[in-house]
Amino acid sequence: MKQFNSSKNYRLTKLVTVICFLAFVIEIIFLVKYPLGSQQAFFLVLFSGLTLILLALRRIAFTTMFLLSTFTLIIAWRLSALAGYTVVVWVYGMAMLFQLFNYILFAYESIKTVRGQSLLNNGDQARVFEWQLLFIRLYLGFNLIPHFCEKLFAGPTIRAVDVNAFMLLGMHHPLSMVLISGVIELAGAFAISCGFFTRLGAICLAAYLIDCGFLGHHFSNGFIWALPGGGWEFPVLWAVLVISFAFFGAGNFSLDRALKNAYQLPGFLKHIMGGRFT
């Protein structure tokens, strides 16, 4: 995959930065007018601020900052929704739309250089398929964000819903289990979406998803997810897609690739990252 060099992507990222700054300002106004609990307010401001910082650093390393800023942006977006700040949610939604456009533009610029050439004659043509796999990887990781946000960052009132659900499943120490689950989901989401120590993250997250299937009694409910209580169709599908990245790695648009380029890493770390880079 070629190094990033498109001024169009930088302009789109600048636009996302402006939109996120607007969301941040509205968010502060709402916090003054409609206060939240201290924990919920702290994490909302924290991830909103981190998003602005990471977007501002886009020229240092576009791939790294794009992945990290998208991760924190979705967290801020979700926390705004949980806070009931509808206007902020819509503004962050607009920012995410332009982030998606940025991704599509970058993928298009990469793919069009090999348009019309035979994929069988040039190994570099694999980038065409890598962008599809990247899209799947990003969605799998980002899809976990709402789960750990409610468990870790949204405050005790919202967390209590998960604690009650764990109690109904018969788990001992439900609050501790909710927090542990949230940490695992946070680590797994970051590893998969940002491509950070991808092989290790994929193995651990897939094991967690299968374990959730057992603890949630999905395997005793049959296969179809639409059955009462939910069958094992969805958790196993999610786990299978995740575990595929343990075999093939995150690819070039990842923190693993950025770390490989920046540092001379020992072999065991490269093995944990997994995959080949071009």
Side-chain angles (χ1 to χ4, degrees):
M1 186 179 295
K2 297 192 303 179
Q3 293 296 316
F4 171 80
N5 58 8
S6 173
S7 59
K8 295 179 182 178
N9 289 102
Y10 283 129
R11 287 196 294 270
L12 271 175
T13 306
K14 187 175 181 179
L15 177 59
V16 172
T17 306
V18 172
I19 296 173
C20 286
F21 180 76
L22 175 62
F24 183 76
V25 171
I26 299 173
E27 179 184 293
I28 297 300
I29 295 172
F30 273 46
L31 281 169
V32 173
K33 193 172 182 178
Y34 310 106
L36 302 173
S38 58
Q39 186 178 118
Q40 191 175 10
F42 171 78
F43 284 114
L44 178 56
V45 173
L46 173 65
F47 285 106
S48 300
L50 281 175
T51 300
L52 288 172
I53 293 171
L54 293 167
L55 287 169
L57 296 175
R58 61 192 178 278
R59 288 192 176 274
I60 295 177
F62 177 81
T63 298
T64 299
M65 297 309 163
F66 178 87
L67 291 169
L68 294 177
S69 65
T70 305
F71 189 79
T72 57
L73 170 56
I74 296 176
I75 294 177
W77 190 16
R78 178 58 179 169
L79 292 178
S80 298
L82 292 173
Y85 293 170
T86 306
V87 175
V88 181
V89 171
W90 279 100
V91 177
Y92 275 133
M94 186 183 301
M96 274 303 304
L97 183 62
F98 283 110
Q99 280 288 79
L100 177 61
F101 286 163
N102 217 351
Y103 169 86
I104 293 172
L105 175 62
F106 198 15
Y108 174 75
E109 292 291 335
S110 176
I111 293 172
K112 76 175 184 179
T113 61
V114 298
R115 183 182 296 168
Q117 300 179 38
S118 172
L119 296 178
L120 298 177
N121 295 333
N122 189 345
D124 190 48
Q125 310 309 313
R127 76 177 68 163
V128 174
F129 303 110
E130 183 173 348
W131 284 107
Q132 179 185 6
L133 290 174
L134 172 60
F135 190 83
I136 295 170
R137 196 193 88 214
L138 291 175
Y139 182 81
L140 288 173
F142 292 151
N143 196 50
L144 273 170
I145 289 178
H147 295 272
F148 69 72
C149 278
E150 297 178 6
K151 294 180 177 71
L152 299 177
F153 304 137
T157 302
I158 294 175
R159 186 182 302 120
V161 176
D162 288 311
V163 173
N164 184 62
F166 277 41
M167 288 177 61
L168 293 176
L169 290 173
M171 294 188 184
H172 300 290
H173 310 292
L175 176 58
S176 298
M177 292 301 296
V178 165
L179 294 174
I180 292 171
S181 297
V183 171
I184 294 173
E185 289 166 359
L186 169 59
F190 186 79
I192 299 301
S193 62
C194 295
F196 181 73
F197 287 88
T198 309
R199 174 172 286 161
L200 176 63
I203 292 172
C204 294
L205 181 57
Y208 169 77
L209 291 167
I210 294 298
D211 188 47
C212 287
F214 280 107
L215 294 176
H217 309 300
H218 297 298
F219 285 94
S220 60
N221 291 336
F223 171 73
I224 302 300
W225 179 250
L227 290 170
W232 54 269
E233 175 184 12
F234 178 66
V236 171
L237 173 64
W238 201 351
V240 168
L241 290 172
V242 165
I243 200 66
S244 68
F245 293 99
F247 297 102
F248 303 106
N252 292 293
F253 203 92
S254 64
L255 299 187
D256 284 346
R257 171 60 187 263
L259 289 170
K260 177 181 177 291
N261 287 347
Y263 303 102
Q264 291 292 331
L265 300 174
F268 78 94
L269 286 181
K270 293 180 180 179
H271 187 71
I272 291 174
M273 291 174 175
R276 286 184 167 182
F277 305 108
T278 57

